[in-house]
Amino acid sequence: MTEEELKAEHEEREDMRQRKEQDIELGLVKWMRGSKFEYAFSISAERRKPVFMLVIDIPGGEKCRWMGKMVFSDMELVRELESEFVPLLIQNNTAGGPDKKIVAKMGEKQWAEPVIRFLDPDEKDLIPRVTGYFSKAATKMRIRKALKIWEDRMEEKDNKL
């Protein structure tokens, strides 16, 4: 192996180690956190990617942990979220700080079931928000639906230019 290949392999192992050390509710996704809420939406506009926002308890109950293990640890889904969206995590069981303000701003409840939202750079839902348990299949179906709407909007916007 070349030095470059060894370095790349080391970085990949370190990346996976860091992902596995996250709270179980987060799975293996590299989430942007609530403290970077505005930045997430500026990145969304700049990179022409919608925001995938997860509002969840950490530590969470059975549903939150199940989603982390069964949905957000599926590497196919993780890769898709990280390549097609700006993944944003909002912790809804905090006593204060930016996450609590975002929960209120976005009309969510504290200490509630997990919520998934697909948002455009203007913080508007692409498809209706959902709350509760989400299987991998259901999450992937909603991803496809949100991406289709997003792509149609981007094409329409490009055609107007």
Side-chain angles (χ1 to χ4, degrees), residues 8-154:
E9 186 178 309
H10 171 74
E11 287 172 356
E12 191 174 310
R13 280 196 307 262
E14 179 62 18
D15 179 61
M16 186 54 74
R17 183 192 64 73
Q18 288 174 358
R19 290 173 188 260
K20 288 180 177 179
E21 287 180 357
Q22 296 186 124
D23 293 302
I24 195 167
E25 298 84 356
L26 307 183
L28 300 174
V29 177
K30 285 185 180 177
W31 299 98
M32 197 170 287
R33 300 303 286 254
S35 61
K36 298 196 182 222
F37 182 83
E38 289 83 13
Y39 181 65
F41 286 94
S42 70
I43 291 293
S44 170
E46 179 184 312
R47 297 184 185 165
R48 296 176 58 120
K49 293 181 178 185
V51 172
F52 178 96
M53 186 171 82
L54 174 65
V55 182
I56 197 165
D57 290 349
I58 303 169
E62 180 183 337
K63 290 179 184 179
C64 299
R65 290 190 308 272
W66 182 88
M67 286 185 63
K69 287 189 285 189
M70 302 307 292
V71 178
F72 300 122
S73 292
D74 176 85
M75 285 311 293
E76 179 185 334
L77 191 135
V78 169
R79 280 190 289 276
E80 186 165 24
L81 286 178
E82 292 177 356
S83 66
E84 300 296 328
F85 296 90
V86 177
L88 176 64
L89 175 92
I90 306 301
Q91 186 176 345
N92 69 352
N93 59 344
T94 60
D99 289 69
K100 184 174 182 176
K101 291 175 185 168
I102 295 162
V103 166
K105 174 183 178 177
M106 299 303 289
E108 299 298 342
K109 297 178 184 172
Q110 283 199 284
W111 303 91
E113 291 190 327
V115 175
I116 291 178
R117 294 179 69 174
F118 296 89
L119 303 159
D120 68 15
D122 297 319
E123 301 173 20
K124 304 286 188 253
D125 289 294
L126 294 170
I127 59 177
R129 67 183 277 291
V130 292
T131 183
Y133 266 109
F134 314 105
S135 67
K136 271 189 280 193
T139 302
K140 288 178 181 182
M141 181 188 73
R142 293 185 59 74
I143 286 170
R144 302 276 174 277
K145 189 174 182 181
L147 283 176
K148 173 72 172 119
I149 291 169
W150 177 255
E151 289 164 1
D152 290 348
R153 284 189 189 175
M154 291 298 99

